[in-house]
Amino acid sequence: MAKIKVGFGFDVHQLKQDHPFVLGGVKLEHTSGAYGHSDADVMLHAICDALLGAANLRDIGYHFSNKDDRWKGISSLILLQHVVALLAEKNWKIGNIDAMVCLEAPKINPHIPAMQANIAEAAGIDVEDISIKATTNEQLGFIGREEGVVAYAVCLIARAS
């Protein structure tokens, strides 16, 4: 039996007025955007954590500290490429990625194909192996008040043959 592992990732970012909103490597038109040290792409951060966790390689903060200016304002697609390289060094390949974003606005459904294409290219996997979903928080809590955005991700990795 081939060795397989499952990973889980979570991330949250504050939303700030008149700040760019990048999600899945796509810049979304909105009045506010996720704020953070890098481009604050909450979905890609959750995906990176899921992959790192599955491979037992710690977490995104360990590899890309928000105290390190090398990562200031960087595209999270580049962070994902680094994570995929770390997995390859340990002889892991990605089976699939399933991500969920929780936000009130903007609607991301029209952007999902572009997000899948960005992730597929950065991760070196097929678009068909990437699932992206979104939900609202039914106007409850900090997500409902549009003060923040949350993302969850799970992934499957397998030993490369």
Side-chain angles (χ1 to χ4, degrees):
M1 182 172 144
K3 179 82 169 183
I4 61 171
K5 289 188 174 189
V6 174
F8 172 77
F10 166 85
D11 197 34
V12 60
H13 279 279
Q14 181 181 110
L15 292 175
K16 291 206 173 194
Q17 194 75 22
D18 300 318
H19 192 76
F21 199 158
V22 180
L23 193 62
V26 175
K27 187 173 179 190
L28 304 176
E29 293 298 323
H30 196 54
T31 57
S32 60
Y35 180 78
H37 186 71
S38 65
D39 64 1
D41 191 325
V42 67
M43 180 169 44
L44 290 180
H45 293 181
I47 290 169
C48 286
D49 261 345
L51 293 166
L52 290 166
N56 196 21
L57 293 173
R58 302 193 62 167
D59 62 36
I60 193 170
Y62 176 81
H63 293 279
F64 312 108
S65 170
N66 63 6
K67 308 278 190 264
D68 189 335
D69 285 340
R70 288 181 299 165
W71 314 119
K72 180 88 173 139
I74 198 166
S75 167
S76 294
L77 289 167
I78 294 172
L79 301 182
L80 178 57
Q81 290 171 338
H82 282 283
V83 167
V84 171
L86 289 170
L87 266 67
E89 287 174 15
K90 300 292 184 181
N91 203 30
W92 290 108
K93 64 178 182 173
I94 300 170
N96 74 303
I97 295 168
D98 185 12
M100 168 70 80
V101 181
C102 188
L103 73 171
E104 295 298 319
K107 298 297 181 192
I108 71 161
N109 192 47
H111 307 285
I112 288 174
M115 293 175 186
Q116 288 173 305
N118 288 342
I119 295 165
E121 183 177 342
I125 62 175
D126 292 333
V127 170
E128 294 79 24
D129 294 326
I130 301 162
S131 171
I132 298 172
K133 305 173 301 298
T135 189
T136 69
N137 215 44
E138 299 294 332
Q139 300 179 331
L140 298 172
F142 72 90
I143 296 167
R145 293 188 300 272
E146 296 189 44
E147 297 170 357
V149 56
V150 167
Y152 306 91
V154 293
C155 69
L156 178 74
I157 63 173
R159 283 282 182 211
S161 41

